[in-house]
Amino acid sequence: MAKLLGLSEAQVRSQARVGYLAPDRGPHNAYRFSFQDLVLLRTAKALGEARIAPRRIRRALRALTLELPAGRSLSGVRISSEGDRIVVRDGSEAWNPESGQLLLDFHVMELALQTAPVARRLARRARRSDEPLTAEQWYDLGVDLETAAPEDARDAYARAVALDPRHASARVNLGRLLQETGMPAAAVEQYRAALKARPRHPTAAFNLGTALEDLGRRSEAIDAYRKALDADGDFADAHFNLARLYEQAGRRAAALRHLRSYKLLSE
């Protein structure tokens, strides 16, 4: 664990004693860490590098492990520092684990509120235009609409796909928006169609893996992450997710191999 994270063994032992990790004890009372512990330690290190006080990091991570639903993995949660506060993001929600308060990204929210009416007018005008847009133009419009009008963006991507079923990028973005709104099965269809059009599309394969995980289909998710790495061997997050799934399946050697690759690519 120390070598993987670039910490000293004393630092790892110290963190194991403060209460937010839950290592098992092996022979001779040795610590045996889980991937959840790895995610927590990696997060603690990053927050420390962002100059968050150690006491606050420990308090926030202890609270977070209690707040997450049973069985929910930390690997899908993004934890970061914004100024002097710790922010957890899970899908569309963000909260402060120290206070438990839900947070809003005011900068993005303000921008979206200001531009949403304009974006919607732009989308309506495009739908009613006497000069039909091409698939690529609908795709570009979808990209422009995502922040301010995600539903209109989804419609734009769907129109791009209807005009050009082999438009892989439109399918990937449509799948991502479907997945973010709680429709992983529909997202899987889009990602698979994108891969049919472009078999070596690493993002389509990686996103397919995450959607299959959302559906509880772990063995298929492993195949998708491996496909992402076949297309891009430097896809660090694919290595990390594979390591986590292999560890859960009891394939320790494979898990460690991908974890080492993740560490090398992340340095």
Side-chain angles (χ1 to χ4, degrees):
M1 185 72 83
K3 290 177 182 177
L4 284 168
L5 293 173
L7 298 169
S8 69
E9 291 186 18
Q11 286 174 309
V12 174
R13 291 193 186 95
S14 173
Q15 294 301 317
R17 289 194 293 265
V18 297
Y20 65 84
L21 302 178
D24 292 329
R25 290 290 192 160
H28 310 294
N29 211 30
Y31 287 122
R32 300 181 69 172
F33 294 98
S34 67
F35 270 69
Q36 190 92 325
D37 293 326
L38 173 64
V39 174
L40 284 164
L41 264 179
R42 184 180 62 165
T43 301
K45 181 186 178 187
L47 292 173
E49 291 169 350
R51 299 183 183 278
I52 302 293
R55 177 176 52 83
R56 291 185 55 210
I57 294 172
R58 292 194 294 269
R59 185 171 65 230
L61 294 182
R62 275 197 298 264
L64 179 58
T65 56
L66 295 173
E67 290 166 4
L68 281 178
R72 180 72 169 95
S73 171
L74 276 169
S75 62
V77 175
R78 187 160 64 90
I79 309 166
S80 60
S81 63
E82 294 185 3
D84 65 347
R85 77 180 176 182
I86 298 171
V87 176
V88 178
R89 298 187 187 280
D90 186 7
S92 60
E93 286 194 344
W95 73 93
N96 182 333
E98 294 176 280
S99 65
Q101 259 187 328
L102 285 174
L103 303 172
L104 297 175
D105 189 332
F106 289 107
H107 297 297
V108 174
M109 186 181 182
E110 184 180 356
L111 175 65
L113 288 173
Q114 289 174 353
T115 60
V118 177
R120 292 194 181 101
R121 282 199 299 272
L122 184 64
R124 283 197 300 269
R125 191 177 304 156
R127 287 192 287 266
R128 296 171 183 169
S129 175
D130 292 331
E131 297 182 8
L133 273 62
T134 66
E136 192 63 28
Q137 287 171 326
W138 276 116
Y139 169 75
D140 290 340
L141 180 60
V143 172
D144 292 339
L145 290 170
E146 277 206 28
T147 299
E151 290 184 7
D152 288 308
R154 198 168 81 182
D155 176 74
Y157 292 137
R159 288 171 183 269
V161 166
L163 289 168
D164 180 6
R166 294 182 60 81
H167 199 306
S169 295
R171 286 197 179 274
V172 168
N173 286 8
L174 177 57
R176 175 170 46 76
L177 291 177
L178 289 167
Q179 192 174 350
E180 288 174 357
T181 52
M183 292 186 279
V188 164
E189 293 180 14
Q190 295 300 325
Y191 299 142
R192 289 199 188 282
L195 287 167
K196 186 175 181 181
R198 283 181 56 191
R200 295 185 62 79
H201 194 306
T203 303
F206 178 82
N207 286 8
L208 174 61
T210 64
L212 289 167
E213 279 202 73
D214 288 344
L215 293 168
R217 292 154 60 178
R218 292 182 180 177
S219 62
E220 292 178 71
I222 287 174
D223 290 339
Y225 292 136
R226 290 177 62 181
K227 192 176 185 70
L229 289 174
D230 285 342
D232 180 3
D234 292 339
F235 205 138
D237 285 343
H239 280 294
F240 187 84
N241 286 7
L242 265 179
R244 176 172 47 77
L245 291 178
Y246 279 139
E247 193 271 346
Q248 291 171 1
R251 297 176 61 181
R252 299 263 173 159
L256 286 171
R257 184 173 69 251
H258 284 286
L259 200 54
R260 290 190 193 101
S261 296
Y262 168 79
K263 179 179 182 293
L264 288 171
L265 290 167
S266 300
E267 287 178 341

Short mmCIF file of all heavy atoms in Angstrom, two decimals, residues 1-3 5-21 31 33 37 40-42 44-46 48-49 54 58:
data_model
loop_
_atom_site.label_atom_id
_atom_site.label_comp_id
_atom_site.label_asym_id
_atom_site.label_seq_id
_atom_site.Cartn_x
_atom_site.Cartn_y
_atom_site.Cartn_z
N MET A 1 0.83 -1.19 0.00
CA MET A 1 0.00 0.00 0.00
C MET A 1 0.87 1.25 0.00
O MET A 1 0.60 2.22 -0.73
CB MET A 1 -0.91 -0.01 1.23
CG MET A 1 -1.91 1.13 1.28
SD MET A 1 -3.24 0.95 0.08
CE MET A 1 -4.32 -0.14 0.99
N ALA A 2 1.93 1.24 0.79
CA ALA A 2 2.83 2.39 0.85
C ALA A 2 3.47 2.64 -0.51
O ALA A 2 3.54 3.79 -0.99
CB ALA A 2 3.89 2.18 1.92
N LYS A 3 3.94 1.57 -1.15
CA LYS A 3 4.60 1.73 -2.44
C LYS A 3 3.63 2.21 -3.51
O LYS A 3 3.97 3.03 -4.36
CB LYS A 3 5.25 0.40 -2.87
CG LYS A 3 6.46 0.01 -2.04
CD LYS A 3 6.99 -1.35 -2.48
CE LYS A 3 8.19 -1.76 -1.61
NZ LYS A 3 8.67 -3.12 -1.97
N LEU A 5 1.04 4.11 -3.20
CA LEU A 5 0.59 5.49 -3.02
C LEU A 5 1.72 6.47 -2.80
O LEU A 5 1.48 7.68 -2.68
CB LEU A 5 -0.38 5.55 -1.82
CG LEU A 5 -1.71 4.83 -2.04
CD1 LEU A 5 -2.52 4.81 -0.75
CD2 LEU A 5 -2.50 5.47 -3.15
N GLY A 6 2.96 5.99 -2.76
CA GLY A 6 4.07 6.91 -2.54
C GLY A 6 4.10 7.46 -1.14
O GLY A 6 4.50 8.61 -0.91
N LEU A 7 3.69 6.65 -0.16
CA LEU A 7 3.72 7.05 1.24
C LEU A 7 4.75 6.19 1.97
O LEU A 7 5.18 5.15 1.47
CB LEU A 7 2.34 6.85 1.89
CG LEU A 7 1.18 7.66 1.31
CD1 LEU A 7 -0.14 7.15 1.88
CD2 LEU A 7 1.34 9.14 1.62
N SER A 8 5.10 6.61 3.18
CA SER A 8 5.95 5.76 4.00
C SER A 8 5.07 4.72 4.70
O SER A 8 3.86 4.92 4.88
CB SER A 8 6.70 6.59 5.04
OG SER A 8 5.80 7.08 6.02
N GLU A 9 5.68 3.62 5.13
CA GLU A 9 4.91 2.61 5.87
C GLU A 9 4.36 3.19 7.16
O GLU A 9 3.24 2.86 7.58
CB GLU A 9 5.79 1.38 6.14
CG GLU A 9 6.13 0.60 4.89
CD GLU A 9 6.87 -0.69 5.20
OE1 GLU A 9 6.82 -1.14 6.36
OE2 GLU A 9 7.51 -1.22 4.28
N ALA A 10 5.14 4.08 7.79
CA ALA A 10 4.66 4.71 9.03
C ALA A 10 3.41 5.54 8.77
O ALA A 10 2.48 5.55 9.59
CB ALA A 10 5.77 5.58 9.62
N GLN A 11 3.36 6.24 7.65
CA GLN A 11 2.18 7.04 7.32
C GLN A 11 0.96 6.15 7.11
O GLN A 11 -0.14 6.47 7.57
CB GLN A 11 2.45 7.87 6.06
CG GLN A 11 3.37 9.05 6.27
CD GLN A 11 3.70 9.75 4.96
OE1 GLN A 11 4.11 9.12 3.99
NE2 GLN A 11 3.50 11.05 4.93
N VAL A 12 1.14 5.02 6.43
CA VAL A 12 0.02 4.11 6.21
C VAL A 12 -0.49 3.55 7.53
O VAL A 12 -1.69 3.51 7.80
CB VAL A 12 0.43 2.97 5.25
CG1 VAL A 12 -0.70 1.94 5.14
CG2 VAL A 12 0.75 3.54 3.87
N ARG A 13 0.45 3.13 8.40
CA ARG A 13 0.04 2.59 9.71
C ARG A 13 -0.69 3.66 10.53
O ARG A 13 -1.68 3.37 11.21
CB ARG A 13 1.25 2.08 10.48
CG ARG A 13 1.89 0.83 9.87
CD ARG A 13 2.88 0.21 10.86
NE ARG A 13 3.59 -0.90 10.23
CZ ARG A 13 4.79 -0.79 9.65
NH1 ARG A 13 5.41 0.37 9.64
NH2 ARG A 13 5.36 -1.83 9.10
N SER A 14 -0.19 4.88 10.45
CA SER A 14 -0.82 5.97 11.20
C SER A 14 -2.25 6.19 10.72
O SER A 14 -3.17 6.33 11.53
CB SER A 14 0.00 7.25 11.01
OG SER A 14 -0.67 8.36 11.59
N GLN A 15 -2.45 6.19 9.39
CA GLN A 15 -3.80 6.39 8.85
C GLN A 15 -4.71 5.21 9.20
O GLN A 15 -5.91 5.38 9.39
CB GLN A 15 -3.73 6.58 7.33
CG GLN A 15 -3.02 7.84 6.88
CD GLN A 15 -3.67 9.10 7.41
OE1 GLN A 15 -4.88 9.22 7.41
NE2 GLN A 15 -2.87 10.03 7.90
N ALA A 16 -4.14 4.00 9.27
CA ALA A 16 -4.95 2.83 9.61
C ALA A 16 -5.47 2.89 11.04
O ALA A 16 -6.47 2.25 11.37
CB ALA A 16 -4.13 1.56 9.41
N ARG A 17 -4.83 3.70 11.87
CA ARG A 17 -5.22 3.77 13.29
C ARG A 17 -6.24 4.86 13.60
O ARG A 17 -6.77 4.89 14.70
CB ARG A 17 -3.98 3.98 14.17
CG ARG A 17 -3.06 2.77 14.26
CD ARG A 17 -2.05 2.92 15.39
NE ARG A 17 -1.09 3.99 15.10
CZ ARG A 17 0.10 3.79 14.54
NH1 ARG A 17 0.48 2.58 14.18
NH2 ARG A 17 0.92 4.80 14.32
N VAL A 18 -6.48 5.77 12.62
CA VAL A 18 -7.29 6.95 12.98
C VAL A 18 -8.79 6.77 12.77
O VAL A 18 -9.56 7.67 13.10
CB VAL A 18 -6.81 8.21 12.22
CG1 VAL A 18 -5.39 8.56 12.61
CG2 VAL A 18 -6.94 8.03 10.71
N GLY A 19 -9.22 5.64 12.17
CA GLY A 19 -10.64 5.35 12.24
C GLY A 19 -11.44 5.36 10.96
O GLY A 19 -12.58 4.92 10.96
N TYR A 20 -10.89 5.84 9.83
CA TYR A 20 -11.71 5.83 8.62
C TYR A 20 -11.40 4.64 7.70
O TYR A 20 -12.14 4.37 6.77
CB TYR A 20 -11.61 7.15 7.84
CG TYR A 20 -10.25 7.46 7.26
CD1 TYR A 20 -9.85 6.93 6.04
CD2 TYR A 20 -9.37 8.31 7.91
CE1 TYR A 20 -8.62 7.22 5.50
CE2 TYR A 20 -8.13 8.62 7.38
CZ TYR A 20 -7.76 8.08 6.16
OH TYR A 20 -6.54 8.38 5.62
N LEU A 21 -10.30 3.93 7.96
CA LEU A 21 -10.01 2.71 7.22
C LEU A 21 -10.53 1.51 8.02
O LEU A 21 -10.74 1.59 9.22
CB LEU A 21 -8.50 2.56 7.00
CG LEU A 21 -7.79 3.70 6.25
CD1 LEU A 21 -6.30 3.41 6.16
CD2 LEU A 21 -8.39 3.92 4.89
N TYR A 31 -1.72 -5.78 8.82
CA TYR A 31 -2.87 -5.16 8.17
C TYR A 31 -3.11 -5.80 6.80
O TYR A 31 -2.17 -6.07 6.06
CB TYR A 31 -2.65 -3.67 7.97
CG TYR A 31 -2.73 -2.84 9.24
CD1 TYR A 31 -1.66 -2.06 9.65
CD2 TYR A 31 -3.90 -2.82 9.99
CE1 TYR A 31 -1.73 -1.29 10.80
CE2 TYR A 31 -3.99 -2.05 11.14
CZ TYR A 31 -2.91 -1.29 11.55
OH TYR A 31 -2.99 -0.54 12.68
N PHE A 33 -5.39 -4.66 3.64
CA PHE A 33 -6.23 -3.56 3.17
C PHE A 33 -7.14 -3.99 2.02
O PHE A 33 -6.79 -4.86 1.21
CB PHE A 33 -5.35 -2.40 2.70
CG PHE A 33 -4.56 -1.76 3.80
CD1 PHE A 33 -3.24 -2.10 4.02
CD2 PHE A 33 -5.15 -0.81 4.63
CE1 PHE A 33 -2.50 -1.51 5.04
CE2 PHE A 33 -4.43 -0.23 5.65
CZ PHE A 33 -3.12 -0.57 5.85
N ASP A 37 -10.16 0.80 1.16
CA ASP A 37 -9.11 1.47 1.93
C ASP A 37 -8.14 2.20 1.01
O ASP A 37 -7.69 3.31 1.32
CB ASP A 37 -8.33 0.44 2.77
CG ASP A 37 -9.18 -0.19 3.87
OD1 ASP A 37 -10.04 0.50 4.42
OD2 ASP A 37 -8.97 -1.38 4.14
N LEU A 40 -9.69 5.43 -0.14
CA LEU A 40 -9.70 6.40 0.96
C LEU A 40 -8.30 6.98 1.20
O LEU A 40 -8.15 8.19 1.39
CB LEU A 40 -10.24 5.75 2.23
CG LEU A 40 -11.75 5.55 2.28
CD1 LEU A 40 -12.11 4.57 3.39
CD2 LEU A 40 -12.47 6.88 2.49
N LEU A 41 -7.30 6.12 1.20
CA LEU A 41 -5.93 6.60 1.42
C LEU A 41 -5.46 7.50 0.29
O LEU A 41 -4.81 8.52 0.52
CB LEU A 41 -4.97 5.42 1.56
CG LEU A 41 -4.66 4.96 2.98
CD1 LEU A 41 -3.72 3.77 2.94
CD2 LEU A 41 -4.03 6.08 3.80
N ARG A 42 -5.80 7.13 -0.93
CA ARG A 42 -5.44 7.95 -2.08
C ARG A 42 -6.10 9.33 -1.97
O ARG A 42 -5.50 10.36 -2.26
CB ARG A 42 -5.87 7.26 -3.38
CG ARG A 42 -5.46 7.99 -4.64
CD ARG A 42 -5.92 7.26 -5.88
NE ARG A 42 -7.37 7.15 -5.96
CZ ARG A 42 -8.03 6.81 -7.07
NH1 ARG A 42 -7.36 6.54 -8.17
NH2 ARG A 42 -9.33 6.71 -7.08
N ALA A 44 -7.13 10.79 0.88
CA ALA A 44 -6.51 11.52 2.00
C ALA A 44 -5.20 12.17 1.57
O ALA A 44 -4.90 13.31 1.93
CB ALA A 44 -6.28 10.56 3.17
N LYS A 45 -4.43 11.43 0.76
CA LYS A 45 -3.16 11.99 0.28
C LYS A 45 -3.40 13.21 -0.59
O LYS A 45 -2.74 14.25 -0.44
CB LYS A 45 -2.39 10.93 -0.50
CG LYS A 45 -1.04 11.43 -1.02
CD LYS A 45 -0.37 10.39 -1.90
CE LYS A 45 0.96 10.93 -2.45
NZ LYS A 45 1.56 10.03 -3.43
N ALA A 46 -4.37 13.12 -1.52
CA ALA A 46 -4.65 14.24 -2.42
C ALA A 46 -5.16 15.46 -1.66
O ALA A 46 -4.79 16.60 -1.95
CB ALA A 46 -5.67 13.81 -3.47
N GLY A 48 -4.51 16.14 1.48
CA GLY A 48 -3.37 16.68 2.22
C GLY A 48 -2.50 17.55 1.33
O GLY A 48 -2.02 18.61 1.75
N GLU A 49 -2.29 17.11 0.08
CA GLU A 49 -1.51 17.91 -0.86
C GLU A 49 -2.20 19.22 -1.21
O GLU A 49 -1.54 20.18 -1.63
CB GLU A 49 -1.23 17.09 -2.13
CG GLU A 49 -0.27 15.93 -1.89
CD GLU A 49 -0.20 14.96 -3.05
OE1 GLU A 49 -1.04 15.08 -3.97
OE2 GLU A 49 0.69 14.08 -3.05
N PRO A 54 -5.05 17.77 8.43
CA PRO A 54 -5.22 16.32 8.64
C PRO A 54 -6.44 15.99 9.50
O PRO A 54 -7.14 15.01 9.22
CB PRO A 54 -3.92 15.92 9.33
CG PRO A 54 -2.92 16.93 8.87
CD PRO A 54 -3.67 18.22 8.74
N ARG A 58 -9.49 13.47 8.26
CA ARG A 58 -9.94 12.28 8.99
C ARG A 58 -11.42 12.36 9.32
O ARG A 58 -12.16 11.38 9.14
CB ARG A 58 -9.11 12.11 10.26
CG ARG A 58 -7.65 11.77 10.02
CD ARG A 58 -6.97 11.29 11.28
NE ARG A 58 -6.89 12.34 12.29
CZ ARG A 58 -5.88 13.18 12.42
NH1 ARG A 58 -4.84 13.09 11.58
NH2 ARG A 58 -5.85 14.09 13.37
#
